[in-house]
Each structure stands twice: as C-alpha cells, then as structure tokens.
Amino acid sequence: MRQLRVGCEFVYLAQVDTPAVFQVEPRDEAPVKLVDQQWSVQPQARLRRYRDLYGNPCVRLILPAGRSVLRYDAVTLVPDATEDANQQAPQLAPDDLPDDVLIYTLPSRFCLPDLLGGEAWSRFGHIPAGYGRVQAICDYVHAHLTFSYGSSNPWTTASDVNISRLGVCRDFTHLAISFCRALNIPARYVFGYLPDLDVPADGMPMDFAAWMQVWLGDRWWTFDPRNNRRRKGRIVIGRGRDASDVAMVTTFGAPVLESMSVYAMEEPP
C-alpha cells in the first residue's frame, strides 16, 4: 500500500446565505482505505453528512453571505498496483444482467445512447463482445477527442462533444459511456482523485478526474478513455449515471466561485 494525501479548496463569494452540497470526500471502501480526513470552513459553518442515492458521501452546509473558504484534506492508503484487467471478461445479454445494473444501460442527462446508437453499432458492432470491445471504444474516444479546458460547458452532452471533438475528462467519459450503453453494455460515471503516481506529470494543474466503470461478467471494471491507460492511485469520490449525479458542488443559489484548487500526491507514511 502507498499513502496519498488528497484534498481541495473552494473560495466563494455569496450575496446571501446559500445552501450547498459538497461531494469531495473519498468513498471509504476497498481497495482504498481512508485513514484520516478533516474539513476547515471559514467562517465556521455546521456540516451535515449524508449518503446519496448511489451511496456516495456528501456534506451539506450553508455558505454565509460574504466570502467563505472551504478546505478538505484526507490521508488515504491505495494499492501499489494498477486496476485489474481481464481480456476474457464477457459481455452479458441484457436479460442476464443484475437488476441494479440495468439502469446503467439507459440514457441519462449527458449520456445519449439513443442518439449515438447508429454510430456505435457501425463502429464497434463488428468487434467481438466483451472486454476488447470496451477497450476499442476507449481507444476511439481517446483518439477522436482533444483535451481542451473551456471547450465544453455544464450543458454539453456526449452528442455535442462527439461533433466538436473537444472536451475535458468528463466529456471523454460521457461519450465512451454512451457508446457502451448503445451496445447494451452497462457503464457508469466515476469521478475522484487521480494522482500522477509512477507516470510523468502532464504539466496541467491538478483537478478532479473522471473515468468509467463497465459491467462485464460478474463485476465492474475500470476504463479511462481520457488517459487510456491503467493507473495507480485512483480514489473514487462518487459514482452515478453521469456527471449530473455526482457534482462536486451543488449550490441552491448563485454564489461566485473565486477559486478552486485540488491536490493528490504521495507522502511518506
């Protein structure tokens, strides 16, 4: 196991007291172990914790009128290994899928298999069903899109980014999920911390990352269409149908986000 420190800071300016929900705490589940965590809120505010529909940890609070600074910091242990892979993992027929997995074959706000179904079958229908077909989808999305900050917005769908060919990691993930679902492959959206662990730094500011999990055989498998390689140190914060289910911050008002920073790094135990 290797020890990582992860966290983030948000600075908001609100005109009035504004209720908000933050989703930045890691899920404390294998193979990741949450060792310690703490919040710092200035000025002080009462935090209320709950788990959402998908079991993701969330924190509720009220951003006070004026300027507020919220910091989250955690120490985690992660395996010194990349995520699992199995080229022989089979795709199941829809009738054989577990009941709670079926929802991840359906359209959602940003993932549109109904609009992209024709293209999905023409591009990937000839590839044998299973792990290799999902990898072919990731290979295509990775090559088709160019990573570009500011090229998409909170309303950009998988269909939009397929046309523009520009996006950030959430857009790569939405497009790959849409192609998978169009082929009756259950796929869900995942976001969390992804440190540059045993890989060259890409030179971009650290940010939250998005990837996907796909149901093959009897379990979920991790795929990352943006980086398109197996990685060490993924720390899941949230899972859902798409990014709308796992927004890092939801505000019930219109506070101004002055700044946001994210970090994920290895530190000595």
Side-chain angles (χ1 to χ4, degrees), residues 183-256:
L183 298 167
N184 299 320
I185 306 169
R188 64 186 182 185
Y189 183 94
V190 185
F191 99 104
Y193 300 98
L194 181 58
D196 294 324
L197 204 60
D198 296 343
V199 297
D202 62 11
M204 296 183 179
M206 180 64 67
D207 200 349
F208 294 106
W211 58 92
M212 69 178 184
Q213 292 176 337
V214 173
W215 186 272
L216 298 169
D218 60 355
R219 56 165 288 188
W220 293 102
W221 300 86
T222 294
F223 291 86
D224 185 347
R226 187 267 166 120
N227 294 291
N228 204 29
R229 63 186 298 181
R230 293 162 61 201
R231 293 280 292 268
K232 295 180 180 180
R234 291 186 196 275
I235 298 176
V236 174
I237 294 173
R239 296 190 291 253
R241 294 168 300 175
D242 58 33
S244 64
D245 284 336
V246 286
M248 66 191 76
V249 183
T250 300
T251 59
F252 298 86
V256 175

Side-chain angles (χ1 to χ4, degrees), residues 2-107:
R2 297 168 73 168
Q3 183 166 294
L4 302 180
R5 181 172 291 277
V6 300
C8 52
E9 178 186 271
F10 297 87
V11 180
Y12 277 100
L13 183 62
Q15 296 296 318
V16 297
D17 290 355
T18 306
V21 178
F22 284 78
Q23 194 169 350
V24 298
E25 295 185 1
R27 292 180 65 117
D28 187 11
E29 60 186 23
V32 173
K33 179 175 177 55
L34 183 60
V35 177
D36 184 43
Q37 64 175 346
Q38 54 185 312
W39 280 88
S40 170
V41 184
Q42 299 175 341
Q44 291 187 353
R46 184 168 71 97
L47 305 182
R48 293 178 289 162
R49 285 184 166 80
Y50 75 99
R51 290 190 176 270
D52 68 9
L53 178 66
Y54 302 95
N56 303 312
C58 303
V59 167
R60 299 175 64 179
L61 74 158
I62 295 179
L63 299 174
R67 189 172 185 268
S68 56
V69 181
L70 298 93
R71 298 184 181 93
Y72 175 76
D73 182 81
V75 176
T76 64
L77 294 175
V78 301
D80 186 17
T82 59
E83 53 265 10
D84 295 340
N86 181 1
Q87 298 294 331
Q88 306 307 314
Q91 177 181 338
L92 301 184
D95 191 51
D96 295 326
L97 293 171
D99 297 339
D100 60 346
V101 171
L102 278 173
I103 190 173
Y104 298 108
T105 64
L106 304 178

Side-chain angles (χ1 to χ4, degrees), residues 167-190:
V168 293
C169 55
R170 63 167 254 165
D171 302 306
F172 282 69
T173 303
H174 285 156
L175 182 56
I177 287 175
S178 298
F179 284 143
C180 285
R181 292 180 186 173
L183 298 167
N184 299 320
I185 306 169
R188 64 186 182 185
Y189 183 94
V190 185

